[in-house]
Amino acid sequence: MSGLSGNPLVAAGTTNPAKLKPVKLVFGCVSAGAQVQGLSVPSGVREQPIGEEETELGAINRAKAALAGMQGASWGVGLEGGVRFSERGCFLFGAVAVTDGTRLEVGRTAELRLPPGVAERIGAGEELGPIMDGLTGVQNVKQKAGTVGFLTDSLLSRADVWQMGLTLALAPFLHAELYQAESEMPSD
């Protein structure tokens, strides 16, 4: 994978341990010398993104800002959790963006249908994190097992789901010869 030989510095646009853990794990598997550092960067979207487009934009903004905000970084990663509504309910998912400054790739996690009462509150404008803190009795649950961990009785954690999304976003970098130049970073 171009840029991952040696000890690449990966800038993750988050300081949340549940998001940093999978970034460290995935990049560590791809390059044993990878160093991951988190930093707080703006998403440029609402605190509770609604829909795939807004959630993806938040991930892209975080990846670009992380790369630009960390001197010496060769990779930027952005992770953004969002929800989408359909006739079947409200679904929690995440978007992951990865950039090396030239190319940009976006992956997506699996999704989880939220309980109707939670969906109703999100639809009324509340953010998922504080809703789940109240339901679980766990302070800042989004920095721990997350909504996914709680609703699956810890069969999956938030970090597990982020690991999948990041791995999927990295696939075109891992096999660049198959994707060629189609993933060049769009200009602003």
Side-chain angles (χ1 to χ4, degrees):
M1 182 164 154
S2 175
L4 274 176
S5 57
N7 299 318
L9 177 58
V10 180
T14 184
T15 57
N16 183 331
K19 290 181 176 180
L20 282 172
K21 179 181 175 181
V23 176
K24 290 176 181 178
L25 180 70
V26 171
F27 275 90
C29 286
V30 175
S31 175
Q35 299 172 338
V36 176
Q37 292 183 15
L39 71 156
S40 181
V41 296
S43 68
V45 298
R46 291 181 279 190
E47 197 64 33
Q48 179 58 72
I50 306 288
E52 292 185 38
E53 188 174 306
E54 183 178 10
T55 305
E56 185 175 297
L57 178 61
I60 291 169
N61 289 344
R62 287 182 190 277
K64 289 179 178 181
L67 182 63
M70 188 171 293
Q71 186 173 357
S74 48
W75 294 91
V77 177
L79 303 97
E80 190 71 32
V83 297
R84 70 170 187 86
F85 289 89
S86 79
E87 65 282 347
R88 295 184 303 111
C90 179
F91 294 84
L92 172 65
F93 70 97
V96 180
V98 180
T99 183
D100 62 2
T102 302
R103 296 177 56 186
L104 173 73
E105 291 292 341
V106 178
R108 189 176 184 284
T109 69
E111 61 183 23
L112 171 67
R113 187 169 67 86
L114 295 171
V118 172
E120 187 176 308
R121 291 175 65 182
I122 291 172
E126 291 185 61
E127 183 190 350
L128 179 61
I131 294 170
M132 294 308 295
D133 284 356
L135 288 176
T136 65
V138 176
Q139 183 65 28
N140 214 359
V141 73
K142 69 182 182 179
Q143 290 196 359
K144 298 172 180 124
T147 300
V148 170
F150 176 74
L151 292 176
T152 65
D153 285 341
S154 298
L155 292 171
L156 283 175
S157 71
R158 187 171 198 221
D160 295 330
V161 176
W162 286 120
Q163 180 182 343
M164 178 191 66
L166 176 56
T167 301
L168 295 173
L170 276 175
F173 288 105
L174 294 170
H175 294 281
E177 73 284 0
L178 299 176
Y179 290 86
Q180 310 221 347
E182 80 179 73
S183 300
E184 289 183 4
M185 200 150 107
S187 58
D188 291 325

